[in-house]
Amino acid sequence: MKTLSGIVFVLFVWYLLHLLFPSSLILPGPLETFKVLVETMNRETLEAFLSTLWKGALSTVVVIAVGLPVGFLMGTSDRVYEFLRPVITVIQAVPVISWLAVVIFLWGIGWQGPVVISILSLLPVAIFTTVSGVRSVDRKLVEVMRVYRVPRTKVLKEVYLGSLWPFVLSILEVSSGNVWKAIVMAEYLCGDRGLGVLISWARQYVDVPRVYALTIFTVALGISFERLVKVLTGRVWRRWRLS
């Protein structure tokens, strides 16, 4: 009920702003925008959505596959941490527009740019989050298990993975929400297919209602994807705690 009330409030404010700026070139009204949104639901939009979806999925998989082991090594070894931390910090600090220039020089317009830019945007967060998870492990417990010669595989599963699970789920939740923004933005600037490309085309034709409609569609998909990931990760976490 609160969510519905919030949506109604946003639509009401949107309508009032449209009355102040009635031109469709500035702010089209809610009814006009949603009419265009319905008209936009066609095969072209579906294909663009699938293109954006697989890029986002690939980026998330790479971020997890690289971020977890690198973060684990940095969390367990001070030497590795001091060696890699400046590199990861630089990657995190470089503006997206600079990465954009690099990927365009390397690959031109295509799918590679959006994927690489989204990976570089999310990877530092995944690595530093994993480092925090590893360093939250009780060192005394690890030493006790070593003294009693507990197998390393059991130490890894029972101690490290048990402490890392909340951080892994946090990485998934953050990535699922931010990957959409990174992918669509990169598609808009250097992509050949996807929702970002459709928004770029609508801008070039000065089709403002279509820009708003595609943006609403993208936001709705991003929120839905993020909620789905939260539900799935919540179930995985509950099963992990019961096992």
Side-chain angles (χ1 to χ4, degrees):
M1 189 62 184
K2 292 182 179 180
T3 302
L4 181 60
S5 300
I7 294 175
V8 172
F9 177 74
V10 170
L11 293 175
F12 178 72
V13 173
W14 182 0
Y15 180 72
L16 290 180
L17 291 175
H18 174 64
L19 294 179
L20 295 175
F21 307 97
S23 174
S24 295
L25 292 178
I26 300 176
L27 183 63
L31 293 178
E32 181 184 2
T33 302
F34 283 103
K35 181 181 178 181
V36 175
L37 178 61
V38 173
E39 296 173 353
T40 304
M41 297 298 100
N42 51 33
R43 181 176 179 180
E44 181 185 29
T45 303
L46 176 61
E47 291 176 351
F49 160 67
L50 294 176
S51 178
T52 301
L53 180 63
W54 80 259
K55 292 171 192 171
L58 176 61
S59 302
T60 303
V61 170
V62 173
V63 167
I64 297 298
V66 176
L68 288 181
V70 173
F72 184 83
L73 289 175
M74 292 176 65
T76 54
S77 173
D78 292 335
R79 290 184 178 179
V80 175
Y81 178 81
E82 293 300 330
F83 178 75
L84 292 179
R85 184 177 64 85
V87 178
I88 307 302
T89 302
V90 168
I91 293 176
Q92 189 174 30
V94 172
V96 174
I97 193 66
S98 299
W99 291 124
L100 175 65
V102 172
V103 297
I104 290 179
F105 289 149
L106 291 176
W107 297 292
I109 303 300
W111 63 268
Q112 297 93 335
V115 171
V116 171
I117 289 176
S118 60
I119 290 174
L120 293 174
S121 300
L122 299 174
L123 187 59
V125 177
I127 292 175
F128 286 131
T129 302
T130 305
V131 171
S132 299
V134 173
R135 292 191 169 184
S136 68
V137 174
D138 189 347
R139 298 292 182 180
K140 293 182 179 180
L141 177 60
V142 175
E143 292 297 329
V144 169
M145 298 185 79
R146 287 178 179 175
V147 169
Y148 286 95
R149 297 182 179 179
V150 177
R152 291 186 177 180
T153 54
K154 191 171 182 178
V155 174
L156 179 64
K157 179 181 178 181
E158 300 296 335
V159 179
Y160 284 107
L161 289 184
S163 299
L164 275 177
W165 255 119
F167 293 88
V168 173
L169 300 183
S170 176
I171 293 171
L172 285 172
E173 291 180 5
V174 172
S175 299
S176 63
N178 292 331
V179 71
W180 280 90
K181 293 185 291 185
I183 288 291
V184 172
M185 178 202 66
E187 286 177 342
Y188 180 89
L189 296 171
C190 65
D192 59 343
R193 294 180 181 178
L195 295 174
V197 175
L198 294 186
I199 295 175
S200 177
W201 288 348
R203 178 195 61 83
Q204 292 179 22
Y205 288 105
V206 199
D207 191 349
V208 179
R210 184 175 172 83
V211 172
Y212 278 81
L214 289 170
T215 301
I216 292 174
F217 180 63
T218 303
V219 170
L221 290 174
I223 293 175
S224 300
F225 187 69
E226 184 178 4
R227 298 283 295 183
L228 177 62
V229 170
K230 285 185 178 181
V231 171
L232 294 177
T233 52
R235 291 180 179 179
V236 171
W237 174 239
R238 285 193 294 270
R239 289 184 180 180
W240 174 270
R241 294 184 65 182
L242 293 174
S243 62

